[in-house]
Amino acid sequence: MREEFALQYADRRAKERGYEDYRIVYREFMIPPMGVLKFQANNEIWLVTYISWGLIVKSDYGRYDNWYTQGIAENAHEHGDRIEIINTRKYQRTIRFLQVILKTKDDGSKA
């Protein structure tokens, strides 16, 4: 998903979920050879903007990989809740996300 589209998509998805306020954070992870990164992303939407060949992203929203999946899969670039990134290759790989943090009135943040 290109960054420009991801920004528009983030705004639409936040509003669809009933949130008027949200914060955008750019994230980049380097996944070591044959490594796995797991994290929680509750009340957030993570949009894949770049993924190296050989990485797989799995979450409660679905699965994305850029070498087994054929064609466009619904929500392939959108992830949330429990996220797992798997490097299937012998070399370090990179993945970039646009993290959309959905804000509520009582989340303690300054808005």
Side-chain angles (χ1 to χ4, degrees):
M1 177 180 294
R2 289 206 164 101
E3 185 178 322
E4 300 83 23
F5 178 73
L7 289 167
Q8 293 172 357
Y9 184 85
D11 184 64
R12 187 185 67 189
R13 285 295 289 140
K15 288 182 175 139
E16 285 174 359
R17 292 179 65 175
Y19 293 89
E20 290 299 318
D21 293 324
Y22 57 90
R23 185 171 50 138
I24 300 288
V25 180
Y26 294 89
R27 300 285 187 183
E28 180 174 290
F29 298 107
M30 304 298 280
I31 311 300
M34 306 305 288
V36 176
L37 173 64
K38 297 179 185 181
F39 57 93
Q40 289 293 123
N42 298 320
N43 215 34
E44 300 173 354
I45 302 168
W46 288 65
L47 303 173
V48 177
T49 58
Y50 173 81
I51 185 169
S52 293
W53 190 83
L55 289 180
I56 298 170
V57 181
K58 295 192 282 186
S59 75
D60 291 344
Y61 289 25
R63 173 189 171 119
Y64 177 73
D65 60 68
N66 63 343
W67 48 302
Y68 285 134
T69 305
Q70 297 293 319
I72 303 294
E74 185 71 22
N75 291 334
H77 295 278
E78 180 179 342
H79 295 279
D81 298 334
R82 290 176 300 178
I83 298 176
E84 181 177 2
I85 305 165
I86 304 159
N87 184 354
T88 63
R89 312 309 304 165
K90 296 179 185 176
Y91 305 99
Q92 179 173 288
R93 299 292 184 199
T94 303
I95 187 165
R96 289 187 205 110
F97 289 97
L98 194 79
Q99 179 188 14
V100 183
I101 303 168
L102 304 171
K103 299 175 99 179
T104 61
K105 292 180 181 176
D106 61 351
D107 67 3
S109 65
K110 298 176 183 176

